[in-house]
Structures are given as C-alpha cells and as structure tokens.
Amino acid sequence: MVYFSQQFNYNHPWSHVVIGMWHKYPNPHCSHVVTVDVLDRTVDPRTGIIRTERMLGCKQKAPIWVVKLFGGSEDAYVREISFVDPSTQTTSITSVNLSLSQFATCYEQIHYLPSPTNPSTQTVFRQTAEIQARMAIWRSMSDRVENWLAERFEQNALRGKLGFSDVLRSLWDGKEQPHSAHS
Amino acid sequence: MAHSLSPECTPLKQEYDTCFNAWFEGYLQPVVAATPELRAEQTAAKTEEYNQKCGKIWESYRDCVQQRAVKAKGLEDLLGEARKENPLTKPPPPPPADAET
C-alpha cells in the first residue's frame, strides 16, 4: 500500500472554501476532470448536514503497460461523497475510483476545517490517500499464470516424448536385433 | 460549470447547479452564524426552501443522469459495488490533529 498525506491552509474563510468546492470544475489546472454529475443529494432537516454523492468523469492517458495488462481506456470514473456540516464547520470529501477498482483502489479523504489559529480567515486543508492493489486478484492472477505454465509444461513434455520416440524409431527400427529373448 | 457525462443532461445539470449554488450560499452563512437554538429552526426552514426551489429540477436532472449516463455507460454495477462496499452514509471521523502545523 502506498500512503500519501498533505496539509496546508487556504487564506479564505471556511464558508468561502466550501462554496468554492462546487465551482472547482471545469478547471484548466485539472483538465483531466471532464464531467461532474450529482447522483444523490440529501439535506438533513434535523442536523443540517448536506450529503452529496457525485461522479467525476476523467480522461487521463494510462501508461501503455496498464492498458495492456488491464484493458481499460482513457475514460475513468470516480465516486465522491461529501458531507458539509455547517454547525461544526466541517467538510469531508471521500473519493474512490470506480474504474479498474477490481485491480486497485485509490481511497482519498479530504477535510476542510477552520484554522485553529485564524478560524475566521483561514481554512485548513487535510488530504490523505491510500493506494492499494487488491491482493486477492494478484494472487488469483498468479495462480492462473502458474496453472497455464504447468499446462504448457505438461503439453511440451508429452510432445517431447512423442518426438523423441519417433527419432528413436526411425534411427533403430529394423536394425535392432531381438536379443533379449534368446540370450 | 462542468458538463454532465451525458450531453443531453448538461442543460438540466446546469439549471440544477445554479439553483443549488444560489440556495447553498444563502444557507451556509446564516446557519454558521446562528446560535444553536436558532440553528435548528433555520435549518428546517432552509431545507424546506431547498426542496421547494430545487426539488423539481433535481428530479429531472437525477433521472436524466441515471438513464442516459449511469445506465447508458454501463456504470450501474461498478456504482452498486462501490456503494455496497462503502455506503458512506455518515460523515467519516475527523482527521487526527496534526502536530505539524
């Protein structure tokens, strides 16, 4: 697993950052995000928490070996769930890749909180990401490779036996004296 | 404003986004500033306002995305699995206080 984390401040109050969140895309710095759709959104009348489920459509060229190994295309999709809680002034955003998720997952978490030192003018941004290959899949893939190799080996061994039998037959057939019976 | 995955849904999406953003800006600041007693009342009223103002366009946009983007692109299964594996119905715990700052 690969772990990534960073933290820094934005020089804007929390509410401005959270309003800005919905205006982030399209963005020339993040041109790989081409579409954004809201799949689900609820506003809890009791807590005031807004939960939003979005799907981001990305276009990013994958390295050729990834495409060859896993198939896949330039189109990738990400599921993103955010919670905006105005009463505690917390925002969390969790993102997980949908595409190629059978092979590996990238689980990203972002939090926006008012800065403890300058709560009315600064917002802390915290980001963590866990990138993990699905070991079960690698194992089943290595099993498959092993089985394929073993089958190949068996086939080749059989071919070798047949081939060498032919060679021996053509070399010696008719020339060998039946000696064992009379000796 | 970002486009929808399905170009046919983009006009609905932009109309919905405009409605939500306008409501959200009016929602956030008063609720943040309110006292806890006032907040509950305000939250309930604002939620009602959101449903009234954006409810209809939301339903049209949501149905469009479901049919023309999620289903049409064959993303139902991937989404279904992701939701099953991690429903995320509650906010995740806040991050541990970082000593670096």
Side-chain angles (χ1 to χ4, degrees):
Chain A
M1 191 177 78
V2 184
Y3 188 81
F4 170 87
S5 83
Q6 67 168 339
Q7 168 165 336
F8 53 82
N9 289 338
Y10 283 111
N11 288 323
H12 297 277
W14 179 82
S15 61
H16 287 188
V17 170
V18 176
I19 287 167
M21 217 169 94
W22 311 118
H23 298 277
K24 185 173 170 188
Y25 304 111
N27 190 314
H29 292 285
C30 315
S31 57
H32 59 284
V33 176
V34 283
T35 65
V36 179
D37 277 296
V38 182
L39 300 178
D40 190 38
R41 179 173 273 148
T42 51
V43 186
D44 189 321
R46 201 178 48 82
T47 60
I49 296 174
I50 302 171
R51 177 189 184 273
T52 306
E53 181 180 35
R54 300 201 298 181
M55 184 169 68
L56 276 55
C58 311
K59 263 198 200 308
Q60 210 157 31
K61 284 213 161 63
I64 196 79
W65 68 267
V66 171
V67 177
K68 277 193 174 158
L69 253 178
F70 304 121
S73 65
E74 273 190 24
D75 299 316
Y77 301 99
V78 172
R79 175 181 177 239
E80 177 206 89
I81 313 287
S82 62
F83 292 91
V84 176
D85 186 346
S87 68
T88 59
Q89 296 194 62
T90 356
T91 303
S92 66
I93 308 171
T94 307
S95 307
V96 190
N97 59 307
L98 288 172
S99 306
L100 301 179
S101 56
Q102 65 270 44
F103 301 114
T105 52
C106 177
Y107 184 87
E108 182 202 44
Q109 236 172 37
I110 288 173
H111 281 90
Y112 291 110
L113 311 151
S115 147
T117 43
N118 301 300
S120 58
T121 56
Q122 280 194 326
T123 303
V124 179
F125 169 86
R126 281 191 192 146
Q127 180 186 37
T128 61
E130 290 166 17
I131 299 160
Q132 192 162 29
R134 298 223 185 212
M135 292 319 284
I137 291 295
W138 295 112
R139 211 170 295 134
S140 86
M141 216 158 78
S142 67
D143 281 355
R144 237 181 296 160
V145 171
E146 281 170 8
N147 289 337
W148 179 76
L149 287 172
E151 258 171 52
R152 258 303 170 80
F153 189 84
E154 239 173 278
Q155 277 174 11
N156 287 343
L158 184 65
R159 283 197 191 112
K161 184 186 169 195
L162 293 171
F164 195 47
S165 299
D166 277 359
V167 169
L168 290 177
R169 215 178 289 128
S170 65
L171 263 180
W172 302 114
D173 259 15
K175 293 177 191 158
E176 283 171 314
Q177 300 299 318
H179 46 86
S180 54
H182 300 287
S183 61
Chain B
M1 224 174 265
H3 285 238
S4 170
L5 179 56
S6 164
E8 291 140 301
C9 304
T10 297
L12 291 172
K13 177 202 146 62
Q14 296 189 339
E15 192 184 332
Y16 168 70
D17 276 354
T18 305
C19 186
F20 173 79
N21 287 337
W23 172 81
F24 185 71
E25 285 164 36
Y27 170 72
L28 208 55
Q29 273 152 334
V31 173
V32 166
T35 59
E37 302 81 57
L38 268 175
R39 189 176 289 141
E41 211 175 288
Q42 234 175 26
T43 301
K46 277 285 180 186
T47 308
E48 184 54 35
E49 185 195 306
Y50 167 68
N51 290 329
Q52 266 178 12
K53 281 190 174 163
C54 309
K56 230 175 157 183
I57 181 67
W58 161 243
E59 278 172 26
S60 313
Y61 165 55
R62 183 193 58 195
D63 294 350
C64 187
V65 168
Q66 191 57 33
Q67 293 302 323
R68 293 175 194 274
V70 176
K71 274 193 186 162
K73 299 263 178 187
L75 297 168
E76 278 172 302
D77 290 348
L78 277 177
L79 260 176
E81 273 168 44
R83 284 171 176 159
K84 207 166 78 184
E85 191 168 322
N86 204 348
L88 284 159
T89 46
K90 286 198 185 99
D98 206 310
E100 285 167 52
T101 43

